[in-house]
Amino acid sequence: MRQVMNPNIDVFLTALPQINRDFLVDHIDSLEARYFEQFPFSEQLDHIKALSLLTPKHPVEVMWKYLPDKKISCTILSYNYDGIFSFITGALSATGFNISSGDGFTTMTLKKRDSHFLKKRGVFLKDMIKKIGRAHV
């Protein structure tokens, strides 16, 4: 595997001038190099845009990519808190998905000012199941 360093923040600031600088710095600095190896730059930008939309009433973003052989690539973006991985895998399983592989990246530790996300686990699960259900066609 090739060695990739975290990119220069200026590259992201130029590509995403609408996104808060502090938000970008926190996000980029919290990711390990493996993330930047895994996702192309265009997908990294999509992830940042999606993360910037999270609110207590909209605590999760789900991104789909349909692949050959009737497979689906699913990227779930949310704040990290205790139990979130269980919620995600449980929601996928409950809606009929067979998880054949996966990668997890922990980013952005919740700041004290964002602690309201911790109180919204029910909202998270309901929002995520609704979004996952849209993938079944």
Side-chain angles (χ1 to χ4, degrees), residues 79-136:
Y79 283 99
N80 183 28
Y81 55 87
D82 290 342
I84 192 69
F85 187 73
S86 296
F87 275 124
I88 291 168
T89 56
L92 287 168
S93 179
T95 53
F97 282 90
N98 176 25
I99 303 169
S100 60
S101 68
D103 285 299
F105 298 93
T106 301
T107 64
M108 302 176 76
T109 303
L110 285 176
K111 307 266 192 266
K112 223 177 204 178
R113 68 178 186 271
D114 296 320
S115 62
H116 53 270
F117 278 91
L118 297 175
K119 299 173 187 165
K120 302 294 183 179
R121 291 180 188 200
V123 173
F124 172 88
L125 191 56
K126 184 177 178 183
D127 194 32
M128 190 171 127
I129 288 175
K130 184 170 78 177
K131 289 174 183 173
I132 289 171
R134 291 182 190 153
H136 288 283

Side-chain angles (χ1 to χ4, degrees), residues 2 23 51 63 76-77 110 113 118-119 122 125 135 137:
R2 64 188 169 93
F23 178 87
L51 285 167
M63 302 168 81
I76 299 171
L77 302 150
L110 285 176
R113 68 178 186 271
L118 297 175
K119 299 173 187 165
L125 191 56
V137 268

Side-chain angles (χ1 to χ4, degrees), residues 16 35 40-52 63 77:
L16 298 168
Y35 171 85
F41 184 66
S42 61
E43 285 186 47
Q44 294 171 34
L45 296 177
D46 290 341
H47 295 168
I48 292 168
K49 288 180 212 172
L51 285 167
S52 75
M63 302 168 81
L77 302 150

Side-chain angles (χ1 to χ4, degrees), residues 2-69:
R2 64 188 169 93
Q3 194 71 351
V4 175
M5 294 185 60
N6 290 20
N8 183 314
I9 190 67
D10 292 331
V11 174
F12 287 91
L13 288 169
T14 300
L16 298 168
Q18 73 278 19
I19 304 293
N20 177 282
R21 184 188 199 321
D22 292 337
F23 178 87
L24 278 171
V25 170
D26 285 348
H27 178 69
I28 301 304
D29 287 350
S30 69
L31 287 164
E32 59 189 83
R34 188 172 64 90
Y35 171 85
F36 299 102
E37 295 168 355
Q38 178 92 15
F39 294 100
F41 184 66
S42 61
E43 285 186 47
Q44 294 171 34
L45 296 177
D46 290 341
H47 295 168
I48 292 168
K49 288 180 212 172
L51 285 167
S52 75
L53 299 174
L54 298 180
T55 68
K57 291 185 179 181
H58 181 77
V60 63
E61 275 290 319
V62 179
M63 302 168 81
W64 302 101
K65 192 180 344 175
Y66 293 90
L67 305 172
D69 299 327

